[in-house]
Structures are given as structure tokens and as C-alpha cells.
Amino acid sequence: MSEAFERAMAAFEPASLPLAVGFSGGADSTALLAACAARWPGQVIAFHVHHGLQTAADDFERQCAQVCERLGVPLVTHRVDARHASGDSPEDAARRARYQAYAAMAQAVGARPAVSSIALGHHADDQVETLLLALSRGAGLPGLAAMPAHAVRDGLNIHRPLLAVPAADIRSWLAQQQLPWIEDPSNADARYTRNRIRAVLLPALAEAFPQFRATFARSIGHAAQAQQLLGELAAQDLAAVGEPPQIRPLQALSRARQANVLRHWLMQSHGCAPSAAQLDQLLDQVRACTTRGHRIHLKVGAGFAERRGEWLHWYNAPPSLKTSL
């Protein structure tokens, strides 16, 4: 039952060593930490994020320390305030806090050479949940591509070597190692969408489509490949229209290519992800911009897109008088 886990770990090659492992104490991260420690002895560090959201968080940290001592792996803990703002998703807030903590620990751990790679225990079931969440929100290709096996964030190589491994396979391997893990009580909380997907949809999918993890993974792969092509096209178009984009060359593109290059520009240059409605409004204004006096000033993401002469600009603070002329 654990062949998929062992194949995935045999194929895993991190970008660099030493390697950090995001370690919550749960089954997935415990198995990943144990396998990495066995493969690269003395070159693995456990990063534990103390979210402070549960009364049991201190107990989680203590168990993580016990497991790390048994495996001979140093443990680095970072405490964060993962409470979410009103209107924000608690899951998204916790995830952002977690990635910020990983970057902070990588910079502060003091290892020589420095830690620049971290492995996370996301698995095939997590990948399916991510895809279903994206579908429920009407996401585009970036959302349908779900989680990449490798990404770079805040200068840190993020590896997810277990994306093709079902959760049951990981637990089977872990039971063979006789290592304890934490069952997080929040995983049974039906207020969280992921937990409802896990409890209701995944069993129904398994009954209706027994191979759904593999087939969904293929669709995710197709979406990721298509998104890569769109990214390459956007980079070419941005080089042609300029940065910031000139409105007239932008108008020469089809509406679909305008949308693609504007999304790319906003994200790459400003870290801004416009909503579908905001992008549609912006495209309408770009198309209507045929006179010298046509004004564009629209809310886009957390800031504003506006016309300045022949160019389209974005800002998230009031522009100075000098730049607005």
C-alpha cells in the first residue's frame, strides 16, 4: 500500500541542501520528514509554524519536538498571528502566515549553506481539494492548475514531492515506521470548506470514479501546461506593448490577449490579481480609449488602474502631482 509514497520519495531531488521540511506533526508532514531525514541524514531541518489558533497548539509543538528528537532532526519553531480579518478566509490567512513564517525561518536559521529549499507534505487528496475549491470559485487556469510540484516564493524553493501520493498510502507507510502523528481536531470542523470536501465529496468521487485522483491529476497537468503557454505569450506581448503598457499597441491585440497580458503585467509588476469583473471593465475602457481626453480610472485589485498620456498605469496609493501630469 505504500509503494506510491516510496516511489515519490525516490524520485524527489530538492534544489539544494540543507533541506527544510514544513512540519506540523500531522501524518503527511511526519512521513515526509522521516523519509527525508533517512535519505539525507544531517542535512534536514524541521520548520514548525505555531499558529496560536488552538489551545492544543503548545501540545502540537511538544510532540513535534519529541518526533524530531527521535529522528535526530533539529526543530525550528516560528510563532505567528494567523487570525483572519473580517471578510477574509481563515484558511487563506493561515496559509499566508505559514509561508511568511517559512521564509523568515529560512533566513534566520543560520545554516551554512543557507536553507533555500523546503519540502511540504501536500498529497494527491490535497491536490483534488484544491482543484474542487478552484472550480467552486469559477477560477481560471491558474486556479485549475492547482499546486505546482515546484515553485519559488520569497526566494525559497518550495517542493511538493507527494502530490501523486494518496493520503491513505502515506498513512500506511507511516504506520509501518511506527511513528506517532497528530490528528488535528480542526480537520473535522465542517465550517471549513476543505473539510467538507474531504468528508463528503472525496468519498462520493471514490465511489463513482475510483481512479479520480489520477484522472484529476492529468487535468491539472493539462491546465498547468496551458497556463505556462499563456505566461510565455503574455511575456512576449508585454515586451511588445511596453511596461507600463502603451494603450495603442494594446488595442491592436485581441481582447483575450489583452486580458492575458494585463493579468500578467499586474501580477508580475504589482502583485495584483484583478477580479474577472474588474478586468472586464478595464478591457472595455481600453477599447473605448480612442480620444486624447478619454479618462481611465478604475479600481483594480487593491489599487487603481489609470491612463496617463499614452500609457496605462497602476498604483495603490495616491499618485504624486509630478507623476500624474
Side-chain angles (χ1 to χ4, degrees):
M1 184 65 178
S2 58
E3 293 86 353
F5 177 83
E6 292 174 352
R7 284 196 303 271
M9 290 307 305
F12 174 37
E13 293 293 342
S16 60
L17 294 172
L19 172 69
V21 174
F23 183 42
S24 67
D28 316 316
S29 63
T30 300
L32 180 61
L33 180 65
C36 288
R39 185 167 175 191
W40 299 287
Q43 299 188 79
V44 174
I45 303 168
F47 282 1
H48 177 72
V49 180
H50 188 301
H51 291 88
L53 296 175
Q54 301 184 55
T55 55
D58 290 338
D59 294 333
F60 295 168
E61 183 180 355
R62 279 191 289 271
Q63 178 153 336
C64 286
Q66 292 170 4
V67 171
C68 285
E69 183 177 2
R70 176 173 167 181
L71 295 175
V73 172
L75 174 67
V76 179
T77 297
H78 190 92
R79 291 177 178 250
V80 299
D81 182 357
R83 291 173 296 180
H84 64 287
S86 177
D88 195 6
S89 161
E91 295 156 291
D92 289 344
R95 183 173 60 253
R96 289 194 299 268
R98 190 159 52 249
Y99 282 109
Q100 290 167 3
Y102 290 150
M105 285 187 279
Q107 294 168 7
V109 73
R112 294 292 181 271
V115 172
S116 60
S117 292
I118 184 169
L120 305 179
H122 297 122
H123 48 68
D125 295 55
D126 294 325
Q127 190 75 313
V128 169
E129 292 165 15
T130 301
L131 174 62
L132 292 173
L133 279 170
L135 287 168
S136 73
R137 295 166 179 165
L141 279 176
L144 301 183
M147 294 181 287
H150 174 249
V152 178
R153 182 169 179 162
D154 298 324
L156 194 59
N157 285 284
I158 297 174
H159 297 279
R160 297 181 177 93
L162 306 180
L163 287 180
V165 184
D169 198 274
I170 295 172
R171 288 175 179 247
S172 174
W173 183 89
L174 194 55
Q176 294 170 14
Q177 312 307 308
Q178 298 184 332
L179 279 169
W181 67 84
I182 297 166
E183 292 289 357
D184 188 337
S186 70
N187 288 338
D189 190 337
R191 290 176 300 175
Y192 298 119
T193 308
R194 273 190 181 272
N195 292 345
R196 296 197 298 274
I197 291 174
R198 192 175 305 131
V200 179
L201 291 185
L202 296 194
L205 283 169
E207 183 175 351
F209 308 106
Q211 303 302 316
F212 76 93
R213 291 177 180 85
T215 55
F216 280 23
R218 285 200 296 274
S219 292
I220 288 168
H222 295 324
Q225 186 178 61
Q227 180 56 39
Q228 181 179 351
L229 291 174
L230 286 178
E232 292 173 3
L233 178 62
Q236 293 173 10
D237 284 345
L238 189 59
V241 303
E243 190 174 357
Q246 281 187 281
I247 293 172
R248 192 173 297 277
L250 190 61
Q251 291 172 327
L253 301 175
S254 68
R255 187 179 176 95
R257 285 177 70 167
Q258 288 178 31
N260 188 46
V261 72
L262 287 175
R263 271 194 299 263
H264 180 81
W265 165 61
L266 288 166
M267 178 54 67
Q268 294 299 314
S269 298
H270 303 290
C272 168
S275 69
Q278 289 173 342
L279 189 58
D280 276 343
Q281 281 188 311
L282 184 56
L283 292 171
D284 288 344
Q285 288 302 307
V286 167
R287 180 181 58 197
C289 190
T290 57
T291 63
R292 185 183 297 274
H294 185 90
R295 182 173 181 263
I296 297 177
H297 185 84
L298 294 170
K299 183 81 167 67
V300 176
F304 295 87
E306 72 171 12
R307 177 186 181 180
R308 300 184 198 169
E310 299 304 313
W311 290 270
L312 192 64
H313 287 260
W314 185 92
Y315 66 92
N316 61 354
S320 69
L321 290 176
K322 181 181 293 185
T323 59
S324 64
L325 294 176

